[in-house]
Amino acid sequence: MTHSNNSYKPQGSKFHIRKELQKYLKYWYWFVLGIGAAIIGGVFYLRYTTPIYSAAASIIINQETSNNGGSEMPDLGFATGLKTNNLEKELAILRSRRIMHDVVKALNLNLTFFVDGQVRDVELYKNVPFSLKVLKLKEENDEGIGGESFKISLDKNNKLKITNLKTFETISAKPGTSIDLGFGNVVIQPKEGVESFSNITMRISEVDEVAAKYRGGLKLIQERENSNVIQLVLEDPVVEKAKDVIDQLIFEFNRDAIEDKNLIAGNTANFINERLDIINDELEYVESGKEEFKESNRLTDIKAESQLFVQTASDYNKQRQEIGTQIELVNAMLDYLSDSERAELLPANLGIEEGAINQKIAEYNDLVLERNRIMKSSTELNPMVIRINNNIDQIKANIFQSLQRLSKNLQISQNEVSRQMRSIGSKILAVPSQEREYRGIERQQSIKEALYLYLLQKREENSLALAVTAPKAKIVDSAYSSGYIVSPKSKSVLLGTVVLGFFIPFSIIYIRNLMDNKIRKRGDLEEITREISIVGELPRVKDKSELVITENDRSMLAEAFRFLITNLQFLLLKSRNTQKSAKILVTSTIKGEGKTFTALNLAITLANTEKKVLLVGADLRNPKLHQYLSKATKNIGLSDYLANKDLNLESLIGKSKFHKNLSILPSGSIPPNPSELLRQPKLDGMFKKLEENYDYIVIDSAPSMLVTDTFLINKYADLTLYIIKAGYTDKDLIAYPVEAKRGGSIPKINFILNNVQQVDLGFGNKYGYGYGIGKKSVFNWRNHAALQRILKILS
C-alpha cells in the first residue's frame, strides 16, 4: 500500500480535464437549479418588462443651387441665402434642443397617460378615453410645468374624480367644466361613446426633460459617406408615438428652414421696394427733362452729323453706363449699410462685381442669422452673443471700407471714360449743342431704366421664392415601423439567463475552490505529497447516534473501518517485530481532527474480529476517551499509573460497553507535567505487560504539532495513523507530518482521511463502494474465510 514519490504519473491532459470537471460535476444540482431559476427569471422579465419598438424615416437634405437661370444680370440670391454647404450644420439643427422642444410642445408629449396593470402600467397614447385642454397656467408656471401626477376616474353618474398623487387631495367635478389642478385650470371632456373609466394616471413632465429624453434616443444615420440621405431612428415603448415624433421633427425642421428663407426674402423685398421708389422718381425727372428739352428746342428728329464719332462715343457711353450702374449699386449699398441696424440682414449678391464684397456680405448674413437664433432663448449678455456681435461689427466695418474703396475705383474709371469721351467730343464740335445735351439726357434715362427693370425682375423672383418655398428635407419614407420588439429580445434574454444561471454556480464553486485552503478529498492530499500513503478514508457521519459502530454494523462508516484494518494488516506484516501484540498510535496535527473517534471505532472493528483489543487514552492534556467509560472508573487511568507506584495496571483497565473483546485504559487525571510522565521507564514496562494480554493496542495520542507527547510514545508504536480531517485541516499543515517522516521522528506514519463527504470518497464510492451496505447486517466476521486466513497468518 506504500506509494513513493515516483509511483504516480499523470496520464496526460485528458485526465486533468476530467479531474477539473469532477470539481463541478459533483455539484450538478446547483447548475440545474441555477439555470432553472435564471430561465424562470428571464421568462418573468420578458413577460413584465415594457417592450421597446423602433420607428424610422428617411429624408434627403436638399443641396440648394443658384437660381440665376443663365441671366446676364447679377444674381441677388434671395432664396439661397442659406445654401447647404455643410451637411453637419443641418444635422446639428435637426438634433438641436430647440427643434425637439417644439416637437414636444406640438405633440403634448409632456402629458402621458397610463392605465393601471397588475405588474406594470400600460401607456395610453391615442387611446385616452378623454381629452384634456389647459385653459390657463398660473403665473409661476408660465414657463412650464412638471412633476405632477393625477389619478382620473369617471363614474357612471358622469362625475369626474381627480386625485393628486402627491398630496392625495381629491377633486370632484363635471366633465367640460374648468377644474383647478393647482398648476392651472384645465378642462376634461370624455370622448364620444365613453360613459365611464377608472384608474387613468396622468403624469405631467417638464418639456425640457422630455425633449432631452427624445434627443438622447434619436439616431441620425447617414446611409453612405458623402450622401445627403439621412435615416432617422427612434425607439419607444409606444410605436405610434415614435412615428409621430419623427414625422413632427421633420416638419419642424422644414418649418424652421422656411422661416429663415422667408426672413431673408422679406428683408430683400423691403430693400427692392425702397430702391424702386427712389429710381422711379429719378426716372420721371429725367424723362420730364427730356420732354422739356425737345419742346424748348422744337426738336422732332436729331440727325447725327458724324456716324463714326457717334459710334465711338456710343461705346464709351456703354462703358460709362455699366460703371454708373455699379456706382449706383455701391452708393445704394453704402446708404443701406449706414442706416441698417445690427440685427438686419444685408442684400446678398446685389450685382456688385467685386467677389470679395459678396463673400463678406454672405458671411455677415450667416452671423446675423446665428445671432437671431440664439437670441430666441438667450439675452445680450450671453458670451456667445457678445462674440457674434463683435464679429458682426467687424465684418460690417470691413464691408463699408471695401464699398468705399470700390466706389473710389469706379469713380476713377468713370473719370477715365469721361476723358476719352471729351477727346471724341472735340472732334464733333460741329455737332450742335442740343445734340450733346440731348444725348446726355438719354444716357441718364437709359441708366435709370435699366436699373428700374432689373429691380422689377428681382422683385418678381423674390415674390415667387416667397410663394414657392421647397422644404429643406425631402421625405423619402415617412416614419414607419416593422412592429418587431427591439428590446428586450427574447432569444438574447433567454440565452443570457442560461449563461447567467450556469455562470453564477460556476463562479461560486470556482471562488470557493480558489479560496479554500482545506483538505477536502483524497486527491487534495495526493497533490501535496505522496511520501505518506493513505490507508483509509472515513465518510462523514451526519447523525451523532452513528458516530460509534456496533457489532454486525453494515453502514458506510463500518465498511470504511473494515477496509482500513485490511490495509493495516499488510502494513503490520512489514513493520511489526517479533512481539505478539500490534501497537497502533493514532495522532493528528491539531485537535478536533477526529483522533478519539478514529481510535475508538478502529478498536471496535478490531474487536469484531474476535481479537483482544485495548484502547489506551494517551492524551493526558485534553482527554476525550473517558466519556465512553462508566462513572466509577473514568477518573483514574494512565497518568495516575505513571505517577503512582502503588496502583495496579489491571485495576485501571475497564471493559467497554461497545464490545466484549474491547478494553479501555483511560487517560486518567490531568497531570501538571504530562511530558515528564511519558518519559518515565515505567511506560516501557507498561506496554510490555499489555502485549502479553492483548492482540492489538490502539493508542489515542495528543496532537503532535501542539505538544511533544506523541513523539515520546511513537517509539513504542508499530504503526502510526495520522488523522487528516476533510474540510477542517489546512493544506499548509500537511508539511508538518511530511517533515516528521523525513526527519525520522515519526517514521512509520500513514494518513487516514476523516470526515470525507460521500461525493468525495475515493475509488470505492466511484466504483461501488457501498455495494451491499445496509444499516445492520447479519454478516459474521468469524465466518469470513479470507479474513480468517489473514488473521491466522498474523497470529
Side-chain angles (χ1 to χ4, degrees):
M1 294 298 295
T2 304
H3 299 280
S4 64
N5 269 337
N6 300 324
S7 63
Y8 174 79
K9 295 181 180 180
Q11 302 299 316
S13 60
K14 181 178 180 181
F15 177 82
H16 292 289
I17 293 174
R18 180 181 178 185
K19 188 176 180 181
E20 289 298 321
L21 287 177
Q22 286 176 348
K23 295 180 181 179
Y24 301 94
L25 291 178
K26 63 183 179 181
Y27 299 107
W28 59 270
Y29 50 91
W30 283 24
F31 292 94
V32 173
L33 292 176
I35 293 175
I39 291 177
I40 293 174
V43 171
F44 274 92
Y45 175 80
L46 293 173
R47 173 65 178 83
Y48 296 110
T49 300
T50 302
I52 304 297
Y53 300 89
S54 177
S58 296
I59 61 173
I60 297 176
I61 304 295
N62 289 329
Q63 301 285 344
E64 297 179 351
T65 57
S66 176
N67 59 355
N68 192 16
S71 173
E72 294 181 358
M73 298 297 291
D75 185 12
L76 285 179
F78 299 122
T80 60
L82 290 178
K83 292 183 180 179
T84 307
N85 296 324
N86 190 345
L87 185 61
E88 289 299 324
K89 293 181 180 179
E90 302 301 332
L91 296 181
I93 296 175
L94 195 58
R95 62 166 64 95
S96 66
R97 186 188 64 85
R98 176 177 55 86
I99 295 295
M100 189 60 74
H101 187 277
D102 295 339
V103 171
V104 173
K105 292 185 67 176
L107 297 177
N108 290 326
L109 298 180
N110 60 321
L111 297 179
T112 51
F113 301 90
F114 298 87
V115 61
D116 294 344
Q118 294 181 351
V119 177
R120 59 181 176 88
D121 297 340
V122 179
E123 182 177 356
L124 302 175
Y125 179 55
K126 294 185 177 180
N127 298 324
V128 182
F130 60 87
S131 61
L132 183 143
K133 182 178 181 181
V134 179
L135 296 180
K136 183 180 179 181
L137 295 175
K138 293 188 176 180
E139 294 182 0
E140 59 270 20
N141 296 322
D142 286 343
E143 296 182 359
I145 55 176
E148 302 287 344
S149 296
F150 299 90
K151 185 78 71 174
I152 304 174
S153 300
L154 177 66
D155 58 22
K156 295 183 178 180
N157 296 325
N158 199 29
K159 187 176 182 180
L160 285 170
K161 182 180 179 182
I162 305 171
T163 303
N164 191 318
L165 297 181
K166 282 188 176 181
T167 62
F168 295 100
E169 296 179 359
T170 302
I171 300 174
S172 297
K174 291 184 178 180
T177 60
S178 177
I179 305 172
D180 186 2
L181 294 182
F183 62 86
N185 295 332
V186 300
V187 172
I188 298 177
Q189 183 66 45
K191 292 183 179 179
E192 186 177 355
V194 176
E195 296 181 356
S196 64
F197 56 82
S198 61
N199 295 328
I200 303 297
T201 302
M202 179 181 67
R203 300 175 187 171
I204 306 175
S205 305
E206 294 183 0
V207 175
D208 290 338
E209 179 182 348
V210 179
K213 168 192 170 184
Y214 283 104
R215 279 186 66 209
L218 179 66
K219 298 177 183 178
L220 302 180
I221 303 173
Q222 192 173 5
E223 288 196 356
R224 59 179 181 274
E225 191 176 359
N226 298 326
S227 172
N228 58 346
V229 179
I230 305 299
Q231 187 178 31
L232 292 82
V233 180
L234 184 64
E235 297 178 358
D236 196 82
V238 183
V239 65
E240 293 297 329
K241 181 187 289 188
K243 293 194 292 185
D244 289 347
V245 169
I246 292 176
D247 288 337
Q248 188 66 29
L249 180 65
I250 298 172
F251 173 79
E252 295 293 339
F253 174 74
N254 284 330
R255 183 183 60 80
D256 181 73
I258 292 172
E259 287 181 355
D260 287 345
K261 293 178 183 180
N262 291 342
L263 183 61
I264 294 178
N267 284 303
T268 304
N270 295 333
F271 171 77
I272 292 174
N273 291 330
E274 291 177 1
R275 296 307 303 164
L276 281 174
D277 292 339
I278 295 172
I279 294 174
N280 183 59
D281 294 339
E282 293 177 352
L283 185 59
E284 289 182 357
Y285 176 77
V286 172
E287 290 178 346
S288 298
K290 180 180 179 181
E291 182 180 354
E292 292 177 358
F293 177 78
K294 285 186 176 183
E295 289 179 354
S296 61
N297 292 279
R298 300 179 180 180
L299 298 175
T300 57
D301 185 13
I302 302 176
K303 297 179 180 180
E305 295 185 355
S306 176
Q307 293 182 357
L308 180 61
F309 294 156
V310 171
Q311 183 64 37
T312 303
S314 176
D315 293 337
Y316 284 117
N317 283 336
K318 185 176 181 180
Q319 292 183 23
R320 188 173 180 179
Q321 176 184 335
E322 292 175 356
I323 294 172
T325 300
Q326 289 294 312
I327 291 175
E328 288 289 334
L329 290 174
V330 170
N331 292 335
M333 183 60 74
L334 286 172
D335 295 338
Y336 183 83
L337 195 63
S338 299
D339 298 335
S340 64
E341 297 293 336
R342 175 183 290 167
E344 293 184 5
L345 297 170
L346 298 179
N349 295 327
L350 191 58
I352 299 173
E353 296 177 352
E354 182 65 25
I357 294 176
N358 292 328
Q359 184 178 357
K360 290 180 180 179
I361 291 174
E363 185 179 359
Y364 176 89
N365 286 340
D366 289 339
L367 288 174
V368 170
L369 285 175
E370 184 178 359
R371 175 190 178 275
N372 292 342
R373 186 178 293 112
I374 295 174
M375 285 296 294
K376 290 182 178 180
S377 58
S378 181
T379 64
E380 291 287 347
L381 299 179
N382 190 317
M384 185 174 291
V385 174
I386 294 173
R387 180 179 59 82
I388 293 175
N389 288 337
N390 293 334
N391 292 338
I392 290 174
D393 295 336
Q394 184 178 356
I395 294 174
K396 185 175 181 180
N398 292 338
I399 294 172
F400 193 87
Q401 292 177 2
S402 299
L403 289 173
Q404 286 181 334
R405 286 195 298 270
L406 180 60
S407 178
K408 292 179 181 179
N409 293 336
L410 291 174
Q411 192 64 44
I412 293 172
S413 299
Q414 189 178 42
N415 293 337
E416 178 63 20
V417 172
S418 298
R419 188 184 66 79
Q420 294 292 340
M421 290 184 65
R422 286 194 299 271
S423 177
I424 297 299
S426 63
K427 299 178 181 179
I428 54 172
L429 290 177
V431 179
S433 59
Q434 293 88 351
E435 180 70 17
R436 291 195 303 271
E437 187 177 355
Y438 181 74
R439 294 200 60 84
I441 295 173
E442 282 190 337
R443 284 194 300 270
Q444 291 295 325
Q445 182 184 15
S446 60
I447 291 173
K448 302 299 181 182
E449 285 180 350
L451 185 58
Y452 185 79
L453 293 175
Y454 173 74
L455 291 176
L456 284 176
Q457 178 185 352
K458 289 304 176 183
R459 185 173 67 177
E460 292 301 319
E461 291 178 0
N462 189 56
S463 299
L464 184 61
L466 284 171
V468 183
T469 304
K472 179 64 66 68
K474 181 178 180 181
I475 299 176
V476 178
D477 290 316
S478 298
Y480 65 94
S481 175
S482 60
Y484 294 110
I485 298 176
V486 176
S487 175
K489 296 182 178 179
S490 57
K491 292 183 179 179
S492 300
V493 170
L494 292 177
L495 179 61
T497 56
V498 171
V499 174
L500 182 64
F502 178 84
F503 178 75
I504 290 177
F506 177 85
S507 301
I508 294 174
I509 296 171
Y510 176 79
I511 294 174
R512 193 183 70 170
N513 292 336
L514 191 65
M515 302 296 292
D516 187 13
N517 193 35
K518 306 292 183 182
I519 299 294
R520 297 286 178 182
K521 56 184 181 298
R522 185 189 191 101
D524 296 340
L525 197 54
E526 291 177 341
E527 286 179 357
I528 299 174
T529 180
R530 287 183 177 271
E531 294 186 33
I532 302 175
S533 61
I534 304 172
V535 296
E537 296 178 73
L538 305 180
R540 175 179 295 180
V541 179
K542 297 181 180 180
D543 191 353
K544 292 184 177 181
S545 63
E546 299 179 356
L547 286 175
V548 179
I549 60 177
T550 60
E551 189 176 5
N552 300 325
D553 193 343
R554 295 192 64 192
S555 66
M556 184 173 289
L557 179 64
E559 290 296 335
F561 274 98
R562 295 185 187 114
F563 189 81
L564 171 63
I565 66 170
T566 303
N567 291 337
L568 294 181
Q569 305 300 340
F570 292 101
L571 292 175
L572 289 171
L573 281 175
K574 296 180 180 180
S575 61
R576 280 183 62 190
N577 51 27
T578 58
Q579 295 173 345
K580 179 181 179 181
S581 179
K583 296 180 288 298
I584 303 173
L585 176 67
V586 181
T587 186
S588 66
T589 307
I590 57 177
K591 67 176 183 178
E593 293 182 297
K595 301 183 301 300
T596 303
F597 161 78
T598 304
L600 177 62
N601 285 289
L602 177 62
I604 295 173
T605 305
L606 290 171
N608 284 332
T609 63
E610 299 300 328
K611 296 293 182 181
K612 294 184 65 177
V613 182
L614 175 64
L615 177 59
V616 180
D619 188 355
L620 305 183
R621 300 174 186 269
N622 187 21
K624 298 291 184 182
L625 192 59
H626 63 275
Q627 60 187 342
Y628 298 104
L629 299 176
S630 63
K631 294 182 179 180
T633 59
K634 68 177 182 179
N635 293 327
I636 302 176
L638 177 61
S639 62
D640 302 283
Y641 172 75
L642 296 176
N644 192 341
K645 298 180 180 180
D646 298 330
L647 289 177
N648 184 13
L649 181 62
E650 287 76 10
S651 64
L652 300 178
I653 299 174
K655 287 292 182 179
S656 169
K657 60 182 179 180
F658 304 108
H659 199 280
K660 63 182 180 178
N661 294 329
L662 174 62
S663 300
I664 298 178
L665 174 61
S667 58
S669 304
I670 299 177
N673 54 348
S675 298
E676 284 73 8
L677 289 178
L678 294 175
R679 285 189 176 94
Q680 294 183 13
K682 190 176 182 180
L683 182 63
D684 181 59
M686 184 195 74
F687 279 116
K688 289 181 179 179
K689 290 181 182 180
L690 295 176
E691 289 174 357
E692 297 175 358
N693 300 320
Y694 297 97
D695 297 315
Y696 292 97
I697 300 175
V698 180
I699 306 171
D700 179 21
S701 178
S704 60
M705 188 176 180
L706 303 179
V707 293
T708 61
D709 300 2
T710 300
F711 297 99
L712 298 174
I713 303 174
N714 180 67
K715 61 183 178 181
Y716 303 106
D718 298 315
L719 190 65
T720 300
L721 299 180
Y722 204 95
I723 309 301
I724 303 295
K725 186 175 182 180
Y728 183 81
T729 305
D730 288 344
K731 294 179 180 179
D732 298 336
L733 296 179
I734 304 302
Y736 182 78
V738 174
E739 292 297 328
K741 181 178 181 181
R742 291 176 180 175
S745 56
I746 310 179
K748 302 173 184 179
I749 186 172
N750 295 275
F751 282 142
I752 292 180
L753 190 57
N754 182 29
N755 197 45
V756 183
Q757 293 188 22
Q758 184 175 354
V759 293
D760 291 329
L761 285 172
F763 303 107
N765 179 64
K766 298 175 184 176
Y767 302 107
Y769 183 66
Y771 174 76
I773 295 178
K775 187 170 180 73
K776 297 291 181 181
S777 174
V778 296
F779 178 81
N780 193 337
W781 280 91
R782 290 174 292 182
N783 298 330
H784 197 285
L787 183 57
Q788 289 297 324
R789 286 195 296 270
I790 295 174
L791 296 177
K792 185 177 181 181
I793 294 172
L794 294 175
S795 61

